Every structure is written in C-alpha cells, then in structure tokens.
Amino acid sequence: MLAGLAIVFLFWLVLGYFAYGRWIARQFGLDDRQETPANRINDGEDFVPTRPFYLFGQHFSAIAAAGPIAGPIIACQAFGWLPCLLWIAFGVVLIGAVHDFTSLAASVRHGATSIAEIAREKLGSSAGRAMMAFIWIALVYVIIAFADITAGTFVAGDEAVSRATGFNPGGAVAFAAVAYLLLSVALGLVERFLKPPLWLSTAVFVPAAFALSYLGTKFSNLFALDHKSWAVLILIYCIIASLTPVWALLQPRGYLGGFILYTALALGVIGIFFGGYEIRQEAFKSWDIGGLTGTLFPFLFVTIACGACSGFHGLVCSGTTSKQIDKETHTQPVGYGAMLAEGFVAFIALVTIMIVASDTVKGVPPGKIYGDGIGNFLTLIIGEQNKNFAITLGAMAFSTFVFDTLDVSLRLGRYIVQELFGLTGKLGAVIGTLATICVPFVAVMIAPKGSWSEFWTLFGASNQLLAALTLLAITAWLYQARRRIAFTLLPMLFVLVITLWALAALVVGNFSDARGFDVKFINGAASLALIVLAIYLVITAFIKLRSEKRSGELALKEV
C-alpha cells in the first residue's frame, strides 16, 4: 500500500507540473527576449544571473526547511496520515506551487522587487507599509522557531547510548553542520575566483559534504554545548550570513544543500519501495484531540504549513531568487517545480512517521523521527553496522534545511527594514540586520528549552496568511492588467479564511493562558497584530479594486 500511495502521489505531481503549471505559465506570457533584472543590474552581490540547475538547488534548499518535515510529522501525530496526505497533495499543486511561481514571475516583471513593494505599487503606499510590517513579523517567527528547533537538534540524543558507546548523536550533527557551512564558504571562494567547470566542483564538494557526516560520528563530543548556547551561536551565524555576499555563502550552501535534499528524497524512495515497511499509524484519529490547537479545522492546515503552501517561499522568490533569474522561462521550473519537489519532501517526512506505531513516537521531536527514518532507509544500503553514520546523515539533512532558511530569513528581514526606512549601503545593511535579529535574541533568552512548539503553530498560521496576502497582491496586479484571476483568487480566499480562523483561536487561547510577559503573551500579541494587518490589507485591496472597476465602467459609458 505504501508503494502504491507513492506512485499515485508522484504521478499527481508530474501531472500538476506539465498540465496545470504550464497552463499558468501561459497566463504570464513568459518571454526570454525580455532582459531580467539579474542581467540588467548584475552587481555581483545580490543581482547575479545564475544557471537554472544551480539556482534550482539553491532555491530548493532555501524553501525546503524544517516546515515540510516537522509539519507533516506533528500533524500526523495529531490527526492521522490520511488528512495530512490529502492536504499536501491538493495544496501543493493547486495552491503552493501556484503561489511560488506567480510570486517569482511577478517579482521578475517588477524589477526583482519584494512582494511588499508590489503591494505598495498596486494597492497604495499604506498597504505596502502594512505588508512590510506583516512580513517582518512573520520572518521574526521563522527565525525564532527554527533557531530553537535547530539548537535542540544539536543537543538531542539518547543519553544511555552516549554513556555506553561514547557517541553523542546531537554533537555529531552539530559538528557535521558546522563543517558543512565552512565547506560551503570554500566552494563559494573556488567558484568565484578559480571558476572551474561546475561538474568538477560538484564532483569534489558534494562527496565532501556527505563525508562530513562520517567525521561527525568521530568527533561527536567536540561541540558539547547546551541548548541556549547553541541558539545564541546560531543567531550570531545568521547575522554574519545576512551580511555576506550571496556568492560567498548563500549560493554554494544552497547548491550543496540541494544534493543533500536530493539524497534524502532518493533514500525515501528506496525505503518506500524496497524497505518492506508497512503503515503502522492510524489513517484518521480525530476531528478534535483537545487543547488549544487540537481541532483538525483549521489547525491541520497551518501545522503542515510549508509542505502544501508557504508564504515564506514568496519572500525567497521575490527577495533573492528573482534577482538571480537569467531568463523568464526559468521561473516555471524554479518556482513551480521546486515547490512540487518540496511537496515530495513533505511526503517522505510523512512516511517516516507512518511506518512507526503511535505509542513509540509519543513526545519524540519531529527532527529525531525524521533523522531516524532517513537513517533506517540508508542502512538498507550500507548495513546496520553503520547506523550511527546513517542517523547522523539524516539528522544533518534536517539541520541543513533549517540553516538554509534561517540566514535567508534574516537577509530578507534586513531587506525589508532597509526598504521601509530608506537605509542604504553597508551601514544600512548592518542596521537592518540588527533590527531584525534583536527580537529573536530576546525570545531565545527568555523562552525555556524546547519552546519551538509554542511558536510553531503561530509560525505556521502567519506563514500561511502571508501566502494569502501575497496572492492578494498578485491578484490585484492581474486584475489591473485585465488577465485571468481565478487561479490566484480562489486559493487566496481559502487560505485567508483558514489562517484568520486559526489566528483568532490563538489570540483567545494565548491571552487566556498568559502569566505576565511570557511566551504566551508574546504569541497572543503577535497573533492579534497579524490579524489587524491582514484585515487592513484585505479592506484596502477591496476598496482599491472596486474604485478602479467603477472608474473603468464610467469611462466605458463616456465612450
């Protein structure tokens, strides 16, 4: 049954790309004769024309972070695998990939500007500022949630195994992840100054990236730090990465991360078709498991988040990827195609929990479930005697995906601060970076260990609502250009209703449980701010488009 589900799911993704994806591409009239912003500006820093395969890997790594892995696992534990699978399948083709592709195409057509800038142009300056504020809050929550969950990965492990064997699983992942970042910098320097053929760089650096997992098992006790120390160090890394040129870290790290992603997907396929695993999770558990976020509607959709649809992807598309598009036709494989690939990442993550019984993973962090699952798939090839290496590789893949998103989030956050306050140059970049990172620093310092679960649902809700608002801005642009809008309007309405419903529940629940200025109070205040900003943007768009329609009708009458 597991193999049959995988075949149907893959067929659905392929059909979505070649049928629905191509139809949407035709609505934009992509033209390679048009000069893209990457070629027009080409400053060697942010605007860099990039080969589509290289860019696909970087973009795929940037969008495929902890969301499509942790979300399906958490949701499956709560509601069962069937509703998760249905939302991932239909959401990724009809909503998520549409959102990503249209965000990328719109940004390229608007000079590689951000979604907030597009909203300002189409809906007015006030709407643009509101969109920027919304995006900034959403990015702050991405950084908080992912920094905390990554820090937990670096200290996680079985204490009994560590005492008996001297092997520290969390330390092994930490060593491999730190070495991976250094290797990425080395690749960036080689590509920039030596300019070897891409195949040669790939042949040298990709195997080296995987070898780091083996080294991690040999030096697993070298980086034995506590949770809070790792969280702070991760945020410091984000500051450095945000101010580093894209060629020095973002592009090479994303390229290597793409191969790690491809490998995790391949191992997932091997496990599904050759592992002989059976489905041990319940297909459906309950419409309501109790608690603040226990109802399937609306919390299934915001818990899975990135595996089906993600507003963060629109920020990547319009913040970094659009500045590297060499030709307009590359927007479909990079935008629509990468999101479909992320849907398959979510499917593999779902499989890693579908094959284990509910009682054995109760309370187990999603990163460990995923790492163990990918590690077990790998042992089918290399044998059980290499299980430490296999599980380290699986967990390193998880942390690699998170790193890719963390520094991109901070870079995008500083772009927004710079845009909002007119800050330019190196000093403006530093101010924008520090202004964005200060809130996550405060949050990780006052929040107890493992607080990522407190932030996760709000992250998911803000992320999905951002996708709805992005589709709102794109719908306004298409409407003003007198083009079809149903393929963006209908997904926008669905996601908007679901996420406002979830945020309203979070406002009531968090404020009710808050005890002074704690995590719940912060979450409640952030939820309320997001609702107010979203409603303001929706009302502004409605008034703007209605007035334009009336103006058009009057003009026709005069004619």
Side-chain angles (χ1 to χ4, degrees):
M1 181 178 180
L2 190 60
L5 285 175
I7 291 172
V8 172
F9 188 83
L10 284 170
F11 175 79
W12 171 249
L13 296 184
V14 172
L15 180 64
Y17 182 83
F18 287 103
Y20 196 50
R22 284 187 174 176
W23 179 83
I24 293 174
R26 287 196 295 271
Q27 309 312 306
F28 285 86
L30 302 177
D31 186 358
D32 286 345
R33 294 171 296 179
Q34 296 288 334
E35 189 177 34
T36 63
N39 285 293
R40 185 168 61 253
I41 300 174
N42 197 359
D43 60 5
E45 292 284 335
D46 295 320
F47 291 82
V48 181
T50 306
R51 288 163 289 189
F53 184 69
Y54 192 86
L55 181 58
F56 182 95
Q58 178 227 301
H59 178 77
F60 186 26
S61 298
I63 66 172
I69 295 172
I73 292 173
I74 296 170
C76 182
Q77 288 176 308
F79 306 113
W81 62 265
L82 183 57
C84 299
L85 181 61
L86 291 174
W87 169 231
I88 292 169
F90 288 102
V92 73
V93 170
L94 302 177
I95 302 178
V98 173
H99 165 272
D100 288 19
F101 169 62
T102 56
S103 299
L104 183 56
S107 181
V108 170
R109 287 281 176 85
H110 289 79
T113 56
S114 68
I115 288 298
E117 180 62 21
I118 295 173
R120 184 200 65 77
E121 180 180 331
K122 302 303 175 186
L123 304 177
S125 57
S126 296
R129 287 193 293 271
M131 188 72 164
M132 284 183 178
F134 187 102
I135 292 171
W136 189 83
I137 294 173
L139 286 171
V140 164
Y141 266 87
V142 171
I143 296 168
I144 293 172
F146 286 10
D148 193 73
I149 198 173
T150 308
T153 302
F154 288 174
V155 298
D158 190 323
E159 293 183 3
V161 171
S162 183
R163 287 194 300 268
T165 66
F167 174 67
N168 179 356
V173 177
F175 179 92
V178 171
Y180 161 77
L181 295 176
L182 295 175
L183 184 69
S184 299
V185 173
L187 173 59
L189 294 172
V190 167
E191 283 288 302
R192 180 72 170 182
F193 297 108
L194 299 182
K195 302 184 185 304
L198 183 59
W199 68 264
L200 181 58
S201 296
T202 303
V204 173
F205 283 90
V206 171
F210 289 101
L212 297 177
S213 295
Y214 175 77
L215 289 178
T217 65
K218 300 302 178 183
F219 299 98
S220 64
N221 293 298
L222 187 61
F223 295 139
L225 302 176
D226 60 56
H227 184 277
K228 192 150 292 187
S229 297
W230 271 122
V232 171
L233 286 174
I234 289 168
L235 294 179
I236 292 173
Y237 156 77
C238 290
I239 294 173
I240 297 171
S242 172
L243 299 171
T244 301
V246 294
W247 62 263
L249 180 59
L250 189 148
Q251 284 187 342
R253 189 213 58 233
Y255 185 68
L256 292 177
F259 282 95
I260 295 174
L261 269 172
Y262 307 147
T263 301
L265 292 176
L267 291 174
V269 171
I270 291 171
I272 290 169
F273 289 102
F274 303 103
Y277 294 102
E278 297 180 354
I279 298 176
R280 303 181 66 189
Q281 285 281 332
E282 298 94 328
F284 179 76
K285 294 182 179 180
S286 175
W287 294 100
D288 186 355
I289 62 171
L292 175 61
T293 60
T295 54
L296 189 146
F297 284 93
F299 289 106
L300 167 73
F301 304 92
V302 299
T303 300
I304 290 179
C306 309
C309 177
S310 171
F312 173 77
H313 296 183
L315 305 184
V316 177
C317 288
S318 66
T320 56
T321 304
S322 64
K323 295 176 174 64
Q324 301 171 70
I325 289 290
D326 188 26
K327 297 181 179 179
E328 281 196 357
T329 54
H330 295 169
T331 55
Q332 187 192 351
V334 174
Y336 200 96
M339 182 58 206
L340 295 183
E342 174 156 341
F344 192 57
V345 171
F347 178 78
I348 296 298
L350 184 61
V351 167
T352 63
I353 188 170
M354 288 170 63
I355 60 177
V356 293
S358 297
D359 56 349
T360 61
V361 292
K362 187 176 182 180
V364 178
K368 180 170 174 51
I369 295 173
Y370 179 79
D372 288 351
I374 296 298
N376 288 329
F377 296 158
L378 180 55
T379 59
L380 296 172
I381 302 173
I382 64 176
E384 284 288 331
Q385 69 274 17
N386 296 303
K387 192 167 186 176
N388 284 348
F389 162 73
I391 292 177
T392 299
L393 178 62
M396 188 192 86
F398 180 79
S399 64
T400 295
F401 309 155
V402 177
F403 265 126
D404 290 338
T405 297
L406 273 172
D407 57 50
V408 170
S409 297
L410 186 53
R411 183 181 291 267
L412 295 174
R414 67 106 160 158
Y415 285 166
I416 288 173
V417 173
Q418 287 183 261
E419 263 189 79
L420 196 58
F421 296 100
L423 302 173
T424 59
K426 294 293 184 183
L427 179 60
V430 171
I431 294 173
T433 297
L434 295 179
T436 304
I437 203 66
C438 63
V439 177
F441 258 116
V442 172
V444 300
M445 293 304 294
I446 68 171
K449 178 181 177 181
S451 292
W452 70 269
S453 58
E454 295 281 344
F455 297 112
W456 186 266
T457 305
L458 179 52
F459 149 71
S462 64
N463 189 36
Q464 299 285 71
L465 184 53
L466 177 57
L469 296 179
T470 298
L471 288 170
L472 174 67
I474 293 169
T475 301
W477 168 48
L478 294 173
Y479 180 82
Q480 291 168 347
R482 299 297 185 264
R483 292 178 178 269
R484 290 188 175 96
I485 63 171
F487 65 94
T488 57
L489 177 64
L490 296 179
M492 182 272 291
L493 292 174
F494 174 78
V495 178
L496 183 68
V497 171
I498 284 291
T499 50
L500 286 177
W501 181 2
L503 283 170
L506 290 174
V507 169
V508 175
N510 279 298
F511 278 144
S512 298
D513 296 339
R515 298 293 182 268
F517 188 75
D518 59 4
V519 169
K520 290 187 179 297
F521 179 86
I522 294 173
N523 286 346
S527 300
L528 183 59
L530 292 170
I531 290 174
V532 171
L533 289 169
I535 291 175
Y536 172 78
L537 281 164
V538 171
I539 293 174
T540 300
F542 178 77
I543 294 173
K544 175 75 171 177
L545 297 180
R546 188 173 183 182
S547 65
E548 288 185 354
K549 182 179 180 181
R550 285 181 174 176
S551 298
E553 289 173 349
L554 288 174
L556 287 174
K557 288 179 180 179
E558 291 175 359
V559 173

